[in-house]
């Protein structure tokens, strides 16, 4: 089965075209090689993919016939993603809370005091 179709079947991407685009951008690796969307996947292949600033690592257990339900995904892959990847994602959420959008002007006194309290503590 093609790598883009496999990633779509095991529900890492919502559409197959999103999986194809990720492969073309070099965000998908099979056995430490950057692959094209047409690369065939076999059982026991190791796949690494970067999605939403998380580096997922998985091992292919079996090839599904077609897209599978969310409860059946674990039959076809083993997720070996380290927990540190998800913890880093949580830290990014906290840092985005204090980020000011461009064009909102200078910080108010209250904003400045909040920033000072945050950096001191």
């Amino acid at each position: 089965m093609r790598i883009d179709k496999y990633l779509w079947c095991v529900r890492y991407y919502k559409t197959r075209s999103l999986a194809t685009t990720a492969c073309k951008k070099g965000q998908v690796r099979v056995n430490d090689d950057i692959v094209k969307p047409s690369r065939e996947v076999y059982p026991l292949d190791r796949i690494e993919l970067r999605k939403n600033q998380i580096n997922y690592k998985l091992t292919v257990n079996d090839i599904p016939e077609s897209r599978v339900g969310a409860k059946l995904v674990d039959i076809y892959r083993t997720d070996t993603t380290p927990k540190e990847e998800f913890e880093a994602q949580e830290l990014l959420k906290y840092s985005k809370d204090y980020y000011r959008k461009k064009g909102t002007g200078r910080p108010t006194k209250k904003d400045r005091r909040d920033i000072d309290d945050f950096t001191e503590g």
Side-chain angles (χ1 to χ4, degrees), residues 27-39:
Q27 296 174 346
V28 179
R29 293 175 174 259
V30 174
N31 297 329
D32 298 326
D33 295 327
I34 296 174
V35 295
K36 293 181 178 179
S38 61
R39 164 74 152 70

Side-chain angles (χ1 to χ4, degrees), residues 5 16-17 20 24 36 44-45 66 72 76 90 111 121:
K5 188 172 182 182
R16 189 165 163 194
S17 63
T20 303
K24 288 180 181 176
K36 293 181 178 179
L44 301 180
D45 278 347
S66 62
L72 304 176
Y76 299 103
E90 289 295 320
D111 290 339

